[in-house]
């Protein structure tokens, strides 16, 4: 279920990337002489509205499933190491909804769970770091692109916002793939029969 919703979210990002390419290709001319026809502009506006709705649905579904998995993992890791966490298991859910703290609290919880999963053995943290870096980057850039898009009053500013949004979408696709790998590894590590040797 988790991998299915992550895949759906990544698919929504790919569609958004396609919309970004369409927006750039619809522009005629170059530099100060760039322009777009009214028909193409109307079509782009409609397309972006539909893509935004698609992304919203897939992201909400993915977020709900991922946070439920994250909470279960926190509970499992807490059973293995009751003193290994700074915050209680409820923060595995609540931490995602606290402004600003959502940019580091879930990472801290995931880091502690990963450490528990290693069970004292030396192991890499790159699956966790890759997931969080790409996720946080896509979140911040996506927010910036959204605000810039709403404030854009000329074609150049609009295209700049689209470009930033495309980078955010690309990072989000990376984050989805990294999240699949991270989740599979962490789940295995915390299983009764799981062993960190698989990560060596």
């Amino acid at each position: 279920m988790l991998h299915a919703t992550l895949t759906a979210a990544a698919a929504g990002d790919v569609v958004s990337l396609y919309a970004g390419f369409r927006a750039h290709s619809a522009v005629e001319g170059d530099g100060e002489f760039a322009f777009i026809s009214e028909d193409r502009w109307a079509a782009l506006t409609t397309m972006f509205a539909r893509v935004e709705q698609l992304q919203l649905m897939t992201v909400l579904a993915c977020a709900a499933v991922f946070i439920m998995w994250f909470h279960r993992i926190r509970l499992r890791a807490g059973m293995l190491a009751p003193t290994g966490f700074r915050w209680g298991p409820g923060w595995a859910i609540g931490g995602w909804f606290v402004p600003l703290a959502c940019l580091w609290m879930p990472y801290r919880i995931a880091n502690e769970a990963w450490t528990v999963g290693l069970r004292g053995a030396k192991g890499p943290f790159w699956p966790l770091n890759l997931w969080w870096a790409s996720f946080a980057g896509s979140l911040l850039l996506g927010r910036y692109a959204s605000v810039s898009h709403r404030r854009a009053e000329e074609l150049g500013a609009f295209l700049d916002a689209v470009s930033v949004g495309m980078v955010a979408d690309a990072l989000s696709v990376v984050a989805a793939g990294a999240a699949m790998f991270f989740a599979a590894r962490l789940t295995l590590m915390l299983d009764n029969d799981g062993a960190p040797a698989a990560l060596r």
Side-chain angles (χ1 to χ4, degrees):
M1 183 68 173
L2 177 59
H3 283 200
T5 55
L6 283 167
T7 300
D13 294 324
V14 171
V15 172
S16 183
L17 272 171
Y18 171 74
F21 283 116
R22 283 283 303 274
H24 280 282
S25 65
V27 175
E28 299 179 32
D30 189 23
E32 297 180 359
F33 300 100
F35 67 96
I36 186 171
S37 67
E38 291 186 4
D39 291 341
R40 287 186 173 183
W41 178 258
L44 284 178
T45 301
T46 301
M47 179 177 63
F48 274 110
R50 291 176 179 174
V51 168
E52 186 175 359
Q53 291 176 347
L54 173 64
Q55 280 189 302
L56 179 62
M57 289 188 295
T58 56
V59 166
L60 288 178
C62 182
V65 174
F66 188 89
I67 291 174
M68 287 190 294
W69 168 83
F70 196 68
H71 183 247
R72 288 196 302 268
I73 282 295
R74 168 60 182 86
L75 290 173
R76 172 66 183 140
M79 293 174 61
L80 295 174
T83 61
F85 291 87
R86 181 176 180 180
W87 298 291
W91 285 107
I93 297 175
W96 295 93
F97 301 97
V98 180
L100 297 181
C102 65
L103 293 175
W104 59 271
M105 185 177 286
Y107 172 80
R108 179 65 181 267
I109 294 171
N111 187 288
E112 291 168 342
W114 190 269
T115 301
V116 171
L118 288 174
R119 301 175 188 180
K122 291 184 178 180
F125 278 77
W126 69 262
L128 164 64
N129 293 332
L130 175 61
W131 161 59
W132 191 256
S134 54
F135 168 74
S138 68
L139 195 67
L140 292 173
L141 286 177
R143 177 60 180 168
Y144 176 81
S146 179
V147 172
S148 299
H149 184 270
R150 289 197 299 269
R151 292 179 177 176
E153 296 181 353
E154 56 183 27
L155 184 58
F158 167 76
L159 291 177
D160 288 343
V162 169
S163 296
V164 174
M166 291 174 70
V167 175
D169 290 331
L171 281 176
S172 188
V173 172
V174 173
M180 291 182 198
F181 183 79
F182 161 73
R185 287 295 190 181
L186 184 54
T187 300
L188 175 64
M189 290 161 63
L190 294 177
D191 280 346
N192 288 327
D193 298 329
L199 288 170
R200 297 174 188 167

